[in-house]
Amino acid sequence: MMRPLLGEEEALAAAEAVRSGWVAQGPRVREFEEAFAASVGAHHGVAVSSCTTGLHLAVHLLGIGAGDEVVVPSLSFIATANAVRYTGATPVFADVEVGTGNLSASTVEPVLTDRTRAVMVVHQAGVPADVDAIKALCEPRGIAVIEDAACAAGSTYKGKPVGTNATIAAWSFHPRKLLTTGEGGMVTVDDAEWATRLKRLREHGMSVSAADRHHGGSAVIEQYLETAFNYRMTDIQAAVGLVQLSKLDAIIARRRELAARYQELLEDVETVRDPEYGTTNYQSFWVWLPEGVNRQEVLAGLAERGVSARRGIMASHLEPAYEGHPAADLPVTEAFTNRTLILPLFHDMTESEQDTVVSALSETLHAQRLTVRG
Protein backbone atom coordinates (compact mmCIF):
# COMPACT_ATOMS: atom_id res chain seq x y z
CA MET A 1 0.00 0.00 0.00
CA MET A 2 2.63 2.51 1.06
CA ARG A 3 6.39 2.39 1.51
CA PRO A 4 8.05 5.27 3.36
CA LEU A 5 10.91 6.83 1.42
CA LEU A 6 13.59 6.30 4.06
CA GLY A 7 17.28 5.80 3.39
CA GLU A 8 20.85 6.38 4.42
CA GLU A 9 20.40 10.12 4.96
CA GLU A 10 17.71 9.54 7.57
CA ALA A 11 19.78 6.82 9.23
CA LEU A 12 22.81 9.10 9.48
CA ALA A 13 20.72 11.98 10.82
CA ALA A 14 19.22 9.76 13.52
CA ALA A 15 22.65 8.39 14.42
CA GLU A 16 24.08 11.90 14.69
CA ALA A 17 21.30 12.81 17.12
CA VAL A 18 22.10 9.74 19.21
CA ARG A 19 25.83 10.52 19.23
CA SER A 20 25.15 14.11 20.30
CA GLY A 21 23.91 12.90 23.67
CA TRP A 22 20.74 14.99 23.36
CA VAL A 23 17.99 12.62 22.25
CA ALA A 24 14.91 14.10 23.94
CA GLN A 25 13.12 17.24 22.76
CA GLY A 26 15.90 19.67 21.97
CA PRO A 27 17.60 21.74 19.26
CA ARG A 28 16.65 19.49 16.35
CA VAL A 29 13.00 19.67 17.37
CA ARG A 30 13.19 23.45 17.35
CA GLU A 31 14.84 23.44 13.91
CA PHE A 32 12.23 21.05 12.56
CA GLU A 33 9.40 23.18 13.97
CA GLU A 34 10.72 26.29 12.25
CA ALA A 35 11.37 24.55 8.94
CA PHE A 36 8.03 22.76 8.81
CA ALA A 37 6.04 25.86 9.78
CA ALA A 38 7.77 27.81 7.01
CA SER A 39 6.97 25.07 4.49
CA VAL A 40 3.21 25.28 5.18
CA GLY A 41 3.07 29.06 5.48
CA ALA A 42 2.56 29.23 9.24
CA HIS A 43 4.35 31.47 11.72
CA HIS A 44 4.85 28.85 14.45
CA GLY A 45 5.22 25.09 14.66
CA VAL A 46 4.88 23.00 17.80
CA ALA A 47 6.16 19.44 17.46
CA VAL A 48 4.16 16.76 19.28
CA SER A 49 4.08 13.00 19.62
CA SER A 50 1.32 12.45 17.03
CA CYS A 51 -1.37 14.22 15.08
CA THR A 52 -3.89 12.80 17.54
CA THR A 53 -2.21 14.54 20.46
CA GLY A 54 -1.97 17.67 18.32
CA LEU A 55 -5.72 17.63 17.73
CA HIS A 56 -6.32 17.06 21.43
CA LEU A 57 -4.15 20.06 22.27
CA ALA A 58 -6.00 22.18 19.70
CA VAL A 59 -9.39 21.41 21.22
CA HIS A 60 -8.01 21.86 24.76
CA LEU A 61 -6.36 25.16 23.83
CA LEU A 62 -9.72 26.54 22.70
CA GLY A 63 -11.23 25.76 26.10
CA ILE A 64 -13.71 23.27 24.66
CA GLY A 65 -15.09 20.71 27.10
CA ALA A 66 -18.16 19.06 28.57
CA GLY A 67 -21.39 20.43 27.16
CA ASP A 68 -19.74 21.70 23.99
CA GLU A 69 -20.04 20.26 20.49
CA VAL A 70 -17.45 19.98 17.74
CA VAL A 71 -18.52 19.14 14.20
CA VAL A 72 -16.34 16.47 12.58
CA PRO A 73 -16.59 14.22 9.53
CA SER A 74 -17.39 10.63 10.32
CA LEU A 75 -15.42 9.81 7.16
CA SER A 76 -12.01 10.03 8.81
CA PHE A 77 -9.63 8.00 10.88
CA ILE A 78 -11.24 7.59 14.28
CA ALA A 79 -8.66 9.83 15.97
CA THR A 80 -10.48 12.89 14.59
CA ALA A 81 -13.60 12.22 16.64
CA ASN A 82 -11.67 10.74 19.57
CA ALA A 83 -9.68 13.95 20.07
CA VAL A 84 -12.95 15.74 20.77
CA ARG A 85 -14.06 13.08 23.24
CA TYR A 86 -10.77 13.39 25.15
CA THR A 87 -11.87 16.85 26.35
CA GLY A 88 -15.34 15.73 27.38
CA ALA A 89 -16.95 17.52 24.42
CA THR A 90 -19.29 15.82 21.95
CA PRO A 91 -18.28 15.08 18.36
CA VAL A 92 -21.16 15.79 15.95
CA PHE A 93 -20.88 13.95 12.65
CA ALA A 94 -21.51 15.81 9.39
CA ASP A 95 -21.65 14.35 5.90
CA VAL A 96 -19.04 14.97 3.19
CA GLU A 97 -18.96 15.89 -0.48
CA VAL A 98 -18.91 13.00 -2.93
CA GLY A 99 -16.13 14.47 -5.06
CA THR A 100 -13.62 15.21 -2.30
CA GLY A 101 -14.60 13.19 0.77
CA ASN A 102 -14.44 16.45 2.74
CA LEU A 103 -16.76 18.57 4.83
CA SER A 104 -18.18 21.63 3.11
CA ALA A 105 -20.18 24.62 4.26
CA SER A 106 -23.34 22.95 2.94
CA THR A 107 -22.74 19.72 4.88
CA VAL A 108 -21.68 21.51 8.09
CA GLU A 109 -24.50 24.07 8.36
CA PRO A 110 -27.35 21.58 9.00
CA VAL A 111 -25.65 20.17 12.13
CA LEU A 112 -24.65 23.46 13.78
CA THR A 113 -26.35 24.20 17.10
CA ASP A 114 -26.04 26.81 19.83
CA ARG A 115 -23.55 24.44 21.52
CA THR A 116 -21.18 24.20 18.52
CA ARG A 117 -17.78 25.57 19.53
CA ALA A 118 -15.65 24.36 16.63
CA VAL A 119 -15.62 22.55 13.31
CA MET A 120 -12.75 20.13 12.69
CA VAL A 121 -12.11 20.08 8.95
CA VAL A 122 -10.15 17.12 7.60
CA HIS A 123 -8.17 17.42 4.37
CA GLN A 124 -9.05 13.82 3.62
CA ALA A 125 -6.24 11.71 2.16
CA GLY A 126 -4.48 14.93 1.17
CA VAL A 127 -7.41 16.37 -0.82
CA PRO A 128 -7.74 19.99 0.33
CA ALA A 129 -11.06 21.04 1.82
CA ASP A 130 -12.68 24.37 0.92
CA VAL A 131 -11.72 25.96 4.23
CA ASP A 132 -12.57 29.55 3.32
CA ALA A 133 -16.21 28.68 2.71
CA ILE A 134 -16.41 26.87 6.04
CA LYS A 135 -14.76 29.79 7.83
CA ALA A 136 -17.22 32.20 6.22
CA LEU A 137 -20.02 30.09 7.68
CA CYS A 138 -18.48 29.57 11.12
CA GLU A 139 -16.50 32.64 12.13
CA PRO A 140 -19.44 35.09 12.19
CA ARG A 141 -21.08 32.66 14.62
CA GLY A 142 -17.99 32.57 16.85
CA ILE A 143 -17.21 29.00 15.86
CA ALA A 144 -13.53 28.10 15.52
CA VAL A 145 -12.20 26.09 12.57
CA ILE A 146 -9.54 23.48 13.37
CA GLU A 147 -7.79 21.86 10.41
CA ASP A 148 -6.94 18.17 10.65
CA ALA A 149 -4.16 18.22 8.09
CA ALA A 150 -2.81 14.80 9.05
CA CYS A 151 -2.47 13.72 5.41
CA ALA A 152 -2.05 17.09 3.72
CA ALA A 153 1.63 18.10 3.86
CA GLY A 154 2.42 19.50 0.43
CA SER A 155 -1.17 19.81 -0.80
CA THR A 156 -2.25 23.27 -1.92
CA TYR A 157 -5.35 25.43 -1.48
CA LYS A 158 -5.95 28.42 -3.74
CA GLY A 159 -2.33 28.46 -4.82
CA LYS A 160 -0.81 28.27 -1.33
CA PRO A 161 0.22 25.37 0.91
CA VAL A 162 -2.56 23.82 2.96
CA GLY A 163 -2.10 25.31 6.42
CA THR A 164 -1.44 28.87 5.24
CA ASN A 165 -3.72 31.18 7.25
CA ALA A 166 -5.04 28.25 9.31
CA THR A 167 -6.34 29.27 12.70
CA ILE A 168 -4.82 26.06 14.03
CA ALA A 169 -3.80 22.93 12.12
CA ALA A 170 -2.51 19.51 13.17
CA TRP A 171 -0.26 17.28 11.05
CA SER A 172 0.82 13.64 11.12
CA PHE A 173 4.23 12.07 10.47
CA HIS A 174 3.05 8.45 10.73
CA PRO A 175 4.76 6.01 8.34
CA ARG A 176 1.77 6.08 5.95
CA LYS A 177 2.22 9.81 5.48
CA LEU A 178 4.46 11.33 2.81
CA LEU A 179 6.74 12.88 5.43
CA THR A 180 7.42 10.49 8.29
CA THR A 181 9.31 10.51 11.58
CA GLY A 182 8.06 7.03 12.53
CA GLU A 183 5.50 8.51 14.87
CA GLY A 184 5.07 12.21 15.52
CA GLY A 185 3.07 15.26 14.62
CA MET A 186 2.99 19.04 14.52
CA VAL A 187 0.59 21.82 15.41
CA THR A 188 0.90 25.03 13.41
CA VAL A 189 -0.53 28.42 14.38
CA ASP A 190 0.09 32.07 13.58
CA ASP A 191 -0.68 33.36 17.09
CA ALA A 192 2.54 33.64 19.15
CA GLU A 193 0.74 33.36 22.50
CA TRP A 194 -1.01 30.21 21.37
CA ALA A 195 2.32 28.73 20.26
CA THR A 196 3.85 29.49 23.67
CA ARG A 197 0.98 27.84 25.50
CA LEU A 198 0.96 24.80 23.19
CA LYS A 199 4.65 24.26 23.93
CA ARG A 200 3.87 24.42 27.61
CA LEU A 201 0.89 22.09 27.32
CA ARG A 202 2.92 19.41 25.53
CA GLU A 203 5.52 19.39 28.34
CA HIS A 204 3.63 18.97 31.62
CA GLY A 205 2.82 22.68 31.85
CA MET A 206 6.43 23.62 32.63
CA SER A 207 7.25 27.32 32.56
CA VAL A 208 10.70 26.59 31.05
CA SER A 209 11.43 23.60 28.84
CA ALA A 210 14.08 21.05 29.77
CA ALA A 211 16.13 22.06 26.72
CA ASP A 212 16.01 25.76 27.63
CA ARG A 213 17.01 25.00 31.22
CA HIS A 214 19.96 22.98 30.02
CA HIS A 215 21.22 25.65 27.63
CA GLY A 216 20.37 28.64 29.80
CA GLY A 217 23.73 28.82 31.50
CA SER A 218 22.29 29.45 34.97
CA ALA A 219 20.25 27.57 37.53
CA VAL A 220 16.55 27.82 36.68
CA ILE A 221 13.81 26.32 38.78
CA GLU A 222 10.80 25.65 36.60
CA GLN A 223 7.19 26.03 37.66
CA TYR A 224 4.24 23.94 36.56
CA LEU A 225 1.65 26.47 35.55
CA GLU A 226 -1.30 24.24 34.68
CA THR A 227 -2.32 20.62 34.38
CA ALA A 228 -0.94 19.49 31.05
CA PHE A 229 0.42 16.53 29.11
CA ASN A 230 3.51 14.68 27.93
CA TYR A 231 3.19 15.01 24.15
CA ARG A 232 6.80 15.68 23.17
CA MET A 233 8.78 14.72 20.08
CA THR A 234 12.36 13.47 20.36
CA ASP A 235 15.39 14.98 18.64
CA ILE A 236 15.94 11.64 16.90
CA GLN A 237 12.53 11.92 15.24
CA ALA A 238 13.10 15.58 14.36
CA ALA A 239 16.45 14.74 12.76
CA VAL A 240 14.68 12.26 10.48
CA GLY A 241 11.91 14.78 9.86
CA LEU A 242 14.33 17.43 8.65
CA VAL A 243 15.74 15.05 6.03
CA GLN A 244 12.25 13.99 5.01
CA LEU A 245 11.14 17.61 4.66
CA SER A 246 13.95 18.23 2.18
CA LYS A 247 12.53 15.41 0.00
CA LEU A 248 8.87 16.38 0.23
CA ASP A 249 8.62 18.28 -3.07
CA ALA A 250 10.17 15.39 -4.99
CA ILE A 251 7.91 12.88 -3.24
CA ILE A 252 4.80 14.85 -4.16
CA ALA A 253 5.89 15.33 -7.75
CA ARG A 254 6.42 11.59 -8.16
CA ARG A 255 3.09 10.69 -6.51
CA ARG A 256 1.22 13.14 -8.72
CA GLU A 257 2.91 11.62 -11.77
CA LEU A 258 1.86 8.13 -10.69
CA ALA A 259 -1.66 9.30 -9.85
CA ALA A 260 -2.04 10.86 -13.31
CA ARG A 261 -0.99 7.56 -14.88
CA TYR A 262 -3.51 5.65 -12.73
CA GLN A 263 -6.23 8.06 -13.88
CA GLU A 264 -5.26 7.49 -17.51
CA LEU A 265 -5.18 3.71 -17.16
CA LEU A 266 -8.40 3.66 -15.13
CA GLU A 267 -10.28 6.09 -17.37
CA ASP A 268 -13.56 4.19 -16.87
CA VAL A 269 -13.27 4.25 -13.09
CA GLU A 270 -14.17 7.15 -10.84
CA THR A 271 -11.02 8.11 -8.91
CA VAL A 272 -9.77 10.73 -6.51
CA ARG A 273 -8.79 13.95 -8.32
CA ASP A 274 -7.76 17.51 -7.61
CA PRO A 275 -10.61 19.82 -6.61
CA GLU A 276 -10.99 22.96 -8.71
CA TYR A 277 -9.54 25.16 -5.94
CA GLY A 278 -6.38 23.20 -5.10
CA THR A 279 -4.07 20.24 -5.57
CA THR A 280 -3.74 17.02 -3.63
CA ASN A 281 -0.51 15.27 -2.66
CA TYR A 282 -2.27 11.93 -3.35
CA GLN A 283 -1.45 10.61 0.09
CA SER A 284 -3.96 7.90 -0.82
CA PHE A 285 -5.39 6.96 -4.20
CA TRP A 286 -9.00 5.83 -3.92
CA VAL A 287 -11.33 4.45 -6.58
CA TRP A 288 -15.10 4.06 -6.56
CA LEU A 289 -16.35 0.58 -7.36
CA PRO A 290 -19.49 0.16 -9.50
CA GLU A 291 -22.74 -0.31 -7.64
CA GLY A 292 -23.41 -3.93 -6.82
CA VAL A 293 -19.74 -4.91 -6.58
CA ASN A 294 -18.80 -6.96 -3.53
CA ARG A 295 -15.77 -5.06 -2.27
CA GLN A 296 -14.54 -7.91 -0.07
CA GLU A 297 -14.44 -10.13 -3.13
CA VAL A 298 -12.53 -7.44 -5.03
CA LEU A 299 -9.99 -7.13 -2.20
CA ALA A 300 -9.64 -10.90 -2.06
CA GLY A 301 -9.20 -11.07 -5.82
CA LEU A 302 -6.52 -8.40 -5.73
CA ALA A 303 -4.72 -10.22 -2.91
CA GLU A 304 -4.78 -13.47 -4.92
CA ARG A 305 -3.08 -11.56 -7.74
CA GLY A 306 -0.39 -10.18 -5.44
CA VAL A 307 -1.85 -6.70 -4.95
CA SER A 308 -2.33 -5.19 -1.51
CA ALA A 309 -5.30 -2.82 -1.38
CA ARG A 310 -7.41 -1.49 1.47
CA ARG A 311 -11.02 -0.68 2.09
CA GLY A 312 -12.00 2.93 1.63
CA ILE A 313 -11.73 5.50 4.39
CA MET A 314 -13.46 4.40 7.58
CA ALA A 315 -16.72 5.87 8.85
CA SER A 316 -16.29 6.44 12.57
CA HIS A 317 -20.01 6.43 13.34
CA LEU A 318 -20.20 2.79 12.17
CA GLU A 319 -17.43 1.60 14.51
CA PRO A 320 -18.23 -0.12 17.83
CA ALA A 321 -16.59 2.72 19.78
CA TYR A 322 -19.40 5.02 18.54
CA GLU A 323 -22.28 2.57 18.81
CA GLY A 324 -25.28 4.47 20.12
CA HIS A 325 -23.68 7.85 19.47
CA PRO A 326 -26.28 10.13 17.85
CA ALA A 327 -25.71 10.76 14.16
CA ALA A 328 -27.72 12.35 11.40
CA ASP A 329 -28.18 10.54 8.10
CA LEU A 330 -24.78 10.36 6.38
CA PRO A 331 -25.51 8.87 2.95
CA VAL A 332 -22.39 10.08 1.15
CA THR A 333 -20.17 9.01 4.04
CA GLU A 334 -21.66 5.52 4.03
CA ALA A 335 -21.37 5.23 0.25
CA PHE A 336 -17.74 6.35 0.46
CA THR A 337 -16.77 3.87 3.13
CA ASN A 338 -18.67 0.98 1.50
CA ARG A 339 -17.89 1.49 -2.18
CA THR A 340 -14.32 2.77 -2.34
CA LEU A 341 -10.98 1.06 -2.03
CA ILE A 342 -7.44 2.40 -1.87
CA LEU A 343 -4.83 1.22 -4.35
CA PRO A 344 -1.06 0.98 -3.74
CA LEU A 345 0.88 4.17 -4.38
CA PHE A 346 4.45 4.83 -3.23
CA HIS A 347 7.41 6.90 -4.38
CA ASP A 348 9.48 4.14 -5.97
CA MET A 349 6.56 2.34 -7.59
CA THR A 350 7.39 1.27 -11.13
CA GLU A 351 5.16 1.46 -14.19
CA SER A 352 5.26 -2.33 -14.31
CA GLU A 353 3.93 -2.51 -10.75
CA GLN A 354 1.20 -0.02 -11.63
CA ASP A 355 0.28 -2.11 -14.67
CA THR A 356 0.00 -5.14 -12.38
CA VAL A 357 -2.41 -3.28 -10.08
CA VAL A 358 -4.58 -2.07 -12.96
CA SER A 359 -4.64 -5.51 -14.59
CA ALA A 360 -5.51 -7.20 -11.30
CA LEU A 361 -8.38 -4.77 -10.69
CA SER A 362 -9.75 -5.24 -14.21
CA GLU A 363 -9.52 -9.02 -13.96
CA THR A 364 -11.20 -9.06 -10.58
CA LEU A 365 -14.08 -6.90 -11.75
CA HIS A 366 -14.43 -8.98 -14.90
CA ALA A 367 -14.55 -12.14 -12.80
CA GLN A 368 -17.64 -10.73 -11.13
CA ARG A 369 -19.13 -10.14 -14.61
CA LEU A 370 -19.43 -6.44 -13.98
CA THR A 371 -18.46 -3.53 -16.17
CA VAL A 372 -16.76 -0.51 -14.72
CA ARG A 373 -18.89 2.60 -15.00
CA GLY A 374 -17.53 6.12 -15.46
Side-chain angles (χ1 to χ4, degrees):
M1 274 298 305
M2 169 66 175
R3 296 176 189 165
L5 185 64
L6 293 167
E8 189 65 18
E9 289 178 273
E10 287 85 354
L12 290 172
E16 184 178 343
V18 171
R19 285 192 292 266
S20 76
W22 191 276
V23 296
Q25 179 182 285
R28 289 170 181 81
V29 167
R30 179 171 296 175
E31 183 181 354
F32 185 38
E33 289 172 334
E34 293 172 354
F36 184 82
S39 77
V40 300
H43 292 158
H44 304 281
V46 180
V48 289
S49 54
S50 69
C51 184
T52 307
T53 58
L55 291 172
H56 180 204
L57 289 183
V59 179
H60 182 84
L61 178 76
L62 295 173
I64 295 170
D68 297 328
E69 294 178 350
V70 178
V71 176
V72 300
S74 171
L75 191 78
S76 183
F77 185 59
I78 202 165
T80 303
N82 284 351
V84 177
R85 275 188 165 178
Y86 294 162
T87 68
T90 301
V92 175
F93 295 120
D95 212 357
V96 296
E97 296 291 345
V98 70
T100 63
N102 288 328
L103 296 182
S104 67
S106 63
T107 67
V108 167
E109 187 170 21
V111 299
L112 297 179
T113 73
D114 58 5
R115 294 196 296 164
T116 307
R117 292 285 310 281
V119 174
M120 192 175 288
V121 182
V122 179
H123 300 284
Q124 191 53 256
V127 178
D130 191 359
V131 179
D132 286 352
I134 295 172
K135 284 185 173 181
L137 169 70
C138 293
E139 290 180 346
R141 294 168 164 84
I143 298 169
V145 175
I146 301 167
E147 297 185 39
D148 180 342
C151 301
S155 296
T156 69
Y157 176 63
K158 295 185 176 179
K160 296 181 180 179
V162 165
T164 303
N165 299 321
T167 303
I168 186 165
W171 310 78
S172 174
F173 306 133
H174 182 272
R176 280 205 66 219
K177 307 303 185 285
L178 275 63
L179 190 166
T180 184
T181 59
E183 286 284 359
M186 188 81 68
V187 182
T188 55
V189 293
D190 285 345
D191 187 294
E193 291 185 4
W194 279 14
T196 297
R197 186 163 180 237
L198 285 165
K199 289 177 181 179
R200 186 167 70 235
L201 285 169
R202 72 172 173 194
E203 195 168 6
H204 304 287
M206 284 195 291
S207 58
V208 182
S209 72
D212 287 344
R213 290 202 316 272
H214 178 77
H215 294 293
S218 61
V220 176
I221 299 176
E222 76 282 3
Q223 293 180 303
Y224 295 84
L225 304 178
E226 57 183 313
T227 301
F229 313 94
N230 180 6
Y231 287 169
R232 292 172 289 195
M233 175 183 281
T234 70
D235 257 30
I236 300 170
Q237 292 168 292
V240 172
L242 284 163
V243 176
Q244 287 273 287
L245 185 59
S246 72
K247 298 178 178 181
L248 184 58
D249 288 347
I251 292 172
I252 292 169
R254 177 58 177 159
R255 293 181 76 86
R256 287 184 60 79
E257 180 181 296
L258 289 166
R261 189 167 187 270
Y262 261 146
Q263 289 159 351
E264 181 181 349
L265 295 172
L266 297 168
E267 60 180 351
D268 294 327
V269 178
E270 189 175 345
T271 74
V272 57
R273 293 180 182 273
D274 289 333
E276 62 182 10
Y277 50 76
T279 63
T280 174
N281 60 14
Y282 288 105
Q283 191 269 333
S284 293
F285 190 91
W286 73 65
V287 300
W288 282 82
L289 297 176
E291 290 189 42
V293 167
N294 184 314
R295 187 179 57 188
Q296 285 305 112
E297 291 183 10
V298 173
L299 289 170
L302 290 173
E304 288 172 2
R305 292 165 173 82
V307 173
S308 173
R310 288 192 61 178
R311 67 171 185 173
I313 299 155
M314 68 184 296
S316 299
H317 78 285
L318 299 179
E319 293 299 317
Y322 283 87
E323 185 175 358
H325 187 86
D329 289 338
L330 303 170
V332 177
T333 295
E334 293 184 7
F336 235 109
T337 200
N338 291 327
R339 287 185 47 213
T340 60
L341 59 81
I342 298 172
L343 299 180
L345 183 65
F346 44 89
H347 184 81
D348 55 355
M349 189 177 201
T350 65
E351 289 190 359
S352 176
E353 287 171 327
Q354 250 193 326
D355 292 342
T356 297
V357 173
V358 172
S359 176
L361 180 60
S362 297
E363 290 173 7
T364 302
L365 290 172
H366 181 72
Q368 293 190 47
R369 296 181 180 177
L370 293 164
T371 57
V372 177
R373 67 172 179 84

